[in-house]
Amino acid sequence: MEKLNISLPRAVEKAITCLENCGFQAYIVGGCVRNTLLELPVNDWDMTTSATPEEMKACFKDFRTIETGIQHGTLTVLIDGIPLEITTFRNDGEYLDNRHPVGVTFSRDIGEDLCRRDFTVNAMAYHPKRGLVDLFDGQADLTKKRISCVGDPEKRFYEDGLRILRALRFAAVLDFSIAPETADAVHSCRHLLKNIAAERIREEFCKLICGVGAVRILREYHDVIGVFLPELEKCYGFAQNSKYHCYDVFEHTMEALLEAPPHLITRLAVLLHDIGKPLCYTEDETGGHFKGHGDAGVEIVKDVMKRLRFDNKTAARVTILVDYHDREIPATEKSVKRLMNKMSDEDISILMEVKRCDRLAHAKEYSEPSEAIFEIPRIVERLREENACLSLKDLKVGGEDLIAMGIPKGKEIGRILNALLEQVLDGELPNEREALMDAAQDLQGA
Ligand code: ATP
Ligand code: MG
């Protein structure tokens, strides 16, 4: 055991003292130890203890506790308003389905708890007086910047297939490599990801693609990603035979992703923007073409988002970004107003970002982003400042006005209002009550 000084939040210190005063051992463990040693911000201060959940509840009787996962030994304790997840030392026993341990047994031995954890860098515990408990050389792997399984990689992946994707996630986020034996098992066990719940895959995959090392990992482990995203694997090595391109579809996508900020919607849209291409390839004397790949991409993206159980909002945003990625949008008020009618200002900025990344990943002579990409967000801003009319609710006449004019209730009202909006969006009609009423008169029965 090593002496080392990690400064702990007051609430964590209090929790450790409280458990020790009751005669139990307590440590911080996992991600918080790893990130502190790497001098990275800590997401949550997870703790592990020799106390069973019932014993913990007795210790923390003066605090609010939440039964987060009692059967797995996890209790959340609120100390000074900070929720601390505390889990009993645990031995996961046998795994029979590549997902869940059959019987969790509680243990009084920190060593047993650490050896059930996935990677050496995630299997360190720390106690303010006893120092670091590092039974699997996690520190050495931190120094070498690499991910290694605790124990035999294949065996660990057969216990829980999600660990395969977690290895890629940590390597991408921490910008680490994967140790050779672990890397071999990642490839050879990849089929085990088929048994894993879509939600768990999605969570890890989203973190992976937002990592600094995402592109490096996607390139090296495309076969693994292909298990749950076969459409991306189809892009791998798919030649474009076009003067506009110097990369195959997958490499083009990776080059574009290298330009994308670490923002989930943006990265998803860039990753999937050309996913429809392999379905749309045609060739003539001028070379390869991918006509309609945006539309084909939309269908695939809808499938992918459903398969990975993304929420509806994220799915809709990524879908429309892929839909629009290859459409030409002139930097005119008219076209920008139409775009604002279809998506939020934030998504328009993201669309421009997607277009910029896409462009930069073209052959050198065609890689200059168009001026429109930078001009369009400025037009959006100006239209917002002017309170421009963008949708039916901004129109200075409503259904009641038309009814008062004697137009019958029903479909006709909607048709006229939409026609008025079209004219206002196109700048053919001012958004003024009188002009709109006159125009409505003309449209009636038209
Ligand atoms: P982050 O900072 O991203 O939250 P983390 O290391 O805390 O990173 P979690 O997914 O929150 O990652 O898991 C917490 C800890 O639980 C890990 O550090 C690891 O020790 C253990 N762990 C989590 N999932 C698994 C798993 N599938 N198999 C084995 N151990 C796991
Ligand atoms: Mg965590």
Side-chain angles (χ1 to χ4, degrees):
M1 279 193 217
E2 187 135 344
K3 263 291 170 218
L4 193 139
N5 234 333
I6 294 180
S7 86
L8 303 179
R10 287 276 304 145
V12 174
E13 280 183 356
K14 268 193 202 172
I16 294 180
T17 310
C18 192
L19 284 161
E20 288 189 334
N21 287 346
C22 296
F24 301 105
Q25 302 168 51
Y27 296 85
I28 58 163
V29 70
C32 59
V33 178
R34 178 196 69 227
N35 280 18
T36 307
L37 295 176
L38 289 170
E39 296 180 18
L40 293 174
V42 166
N43 302 323
D44 2 70
W45 294 91
D46 292 332
M47 297 178 54
T48 185
T49 178
S50 57
T52 65
E54 289 309 316
E55 290 166 338
M56 279 192 250
K57 273 199 259 175
C59 273
F60 292 112
K61 61 181 185 315
D62 297 334
F63 296 90
R64 232 190 95 200
T65 57
I66 306 153
E67 302 196 359
T68 328
I70 288 286
Q71 63 286 34
H72 299 112
T74 307
L75 190 76
T76 300
V77 184
L78 264 173
I79 301 183
D80 304 339
I82 300 173
L84 294 176
E85 227 178 62
I86 313 181
T87 305
T88 310
F89 295 163
R90 215 173 81 185
N91 176 332
D92 282 346
E94 286 288 308
Y95 287 74
L96 295 176
D97 61 353
N98 317 132
R99 276 170 298 193
H100 307 109
V102 176
V104 173
T105 46
F106 296 145
S107 160
R108 299 286 186 189
D109 176 12
I110 176 85
E112 270 194 83
D113 185 83
L114 295 179
C115 74
R116 75 170 171 92
R117 294 177 182 270
D118 47 8
F119 307 112
T120 60
V121 296
N122 287 349
M124 292 180 278
Y126 174 83
H127 181 277
K129 293 206 189 69
R130 272 169 280 177
L132 195 69
V133 187
D134 179 12
L135 305 178
F136 308 101
D137 259 348
Q139 277 188 108
D141 281 331
L142 280 185
T143 312
K144 291 182 186 151
K145 292 172 71 88
R146 65 177 201 186
I147 300 298
S148 316
C149 283
V150 170
D152 175 44
E154 266 194 30
K155 177 166 176 272
R156 302 313 308 281
F157 294 158
Y158 269 88
E159 288 173 354
D160 178 3
L162 186 72
R163 291 172 187 155
I164 294 165
L165 193 56
R166 285 174 60 84
L168 306 191
R169 185 261 274 203
F170 286 112
V173 170
L174 301 171
D175 210 12
F176 277 24
S177 67
I178 301 182
E181 208 190 326
T182 299
D184 287 348
V186 162
H187 287 294
S188 67
C189 298
R190 64 179 189 271
H191 61 279
L192 296 172
L193 281 169
K194 289 201 181 110
N195 302 340
I196 302 301
E199 291 81 356
R200 297 179 77 203
I201 296 215
R202 185 197 61 226
E203 288 298 303
E204 298 297 335
F205 183 61
C206 288
K207 289 179 182 167
L208 190 175
I209 62 169
C210 289
V212 270
V215 167
R216 177 177 53 83
I217 293 298
L218 292 173
R219 279 184 170 133
E220 209 171 324
Y221 299 93
H222 60 88
D223 56 325
V224 179
I225 305 301
V227 174
F228 57 90
L229 203 55
E231 297 90 343
L232 187 66
E233 188 64 1
K234 290 217 176 72
C235 298
Y236 191 80
F238 199 104
Q240 308 212 56
N241 302 318
S242 153
K243 64 176 178 179
Y244 303 111
H245 284 281
C246 53
Y247 305 111
D248 64 42
V249 178
F250 182 85
E251 266 311 304
H252 161 73
T253 303
M254 294 302 109
E255 288 291 321
L257 207 53
L258 279 175
E259 300 292 338
H263 171 263
L264 183 62
I265 300 286
T266 313
R267 292 250 167 138
L268 282 169
V270 172
L271 182 74
L272 299 172
H273 79 283
D274 274 351
I275 200 88
K277 273 191 169 176
L279 283 184
C280 299
Y281 187 71
T282 56
E283 222 176 74
D284 62 18
E285 59 290 350
T286 65
H289 306 281
F290 297 95
K291 221 168 164 342
H293 76 273
D295 291 338
V298 164
E299 293 315 307
I300 296 177
V301 171
K302 282 183 185 161
D303 265 14
V304 168
M305 293 281 136
K306 210 179 247 158
R307 192 189 313 145
L308 294 180
R309 299 200 204 288
F310 275 92
D311 61 282
N312 293 339
K313 180 143 189 248
T314 302
R317 293 176 71 190
V318 177
T319 306
I320 194 169
L321 288 165
V322 170
D323 187 359
Y324 276 68
H325 87 270
D326 201 36
R327 296 193 194 197
E328 192 167 320
I329 303 162
T332 61
E333 285 202 359
K334 188 166 148 177
S335 82
V336 173
K337 279 182 184 172
R338 286 186 185 275
L339 197 59
M340 290 168 83
N341 215 322
K342 287 265 182 283
M343 58 179 99
S344 70
D345 296 5
E346 187 193 357
D347 286 355
I348 293 177
S349 299
I350 295 177
L351 177 63
M352 297 305 128
E353 190 61 46
V354 173
K355 283 174 158 290
R356 191 185 65 84
C357 298
D358 183 9
R359 180 64 40 204
L360 289 170
H362 276 62
K364 205 160 193 290
E365 311 80 66
Y366 303 96
S367 65
E368 182 78 26
S370 72
E371 203 29 59
I373 289 177
F374 305 101
E375 185 58 23
I376 286 170
R378 291 198 281 267
I379 299 177
V380 169
E381 203 173 315
R382 192 170 74 229
L383 290 169
R384 285 289 170 214
E385 271 166 20
E386 288 169 0
N387 273 325
C389 169
L390 299 163
S391 65
L392 287 179
K393 69 175 176 9
D394 303 325
L395 218 50
K396 288 274 163 35
V397 296
E400 327 74 69
D401 301 305
L402 303 194
I403 293 164
M405 276 170 65
I407 299 172
K409 278 187 192 172
K411 268 197 183 153
E412 181 69 355
I413 301 277
R415 185 188 69 81
I416 295 180
L417 285 175
N418 276 304
L420 292 172
L421 176 65
E422 290 290 315
Q423 292 186 26
V424 172
L425 288 178
D426 287 351
E428 290 164 7
L429 188 67
N431 186 20
E432 287 159 13
R433 205 178 148 75
E434 212 163 309
L436 290 166
M437 296 290 256
D438 285 349
Q441 206 67 265
D442 296 341
L443 281 164
Q444 195 179 356

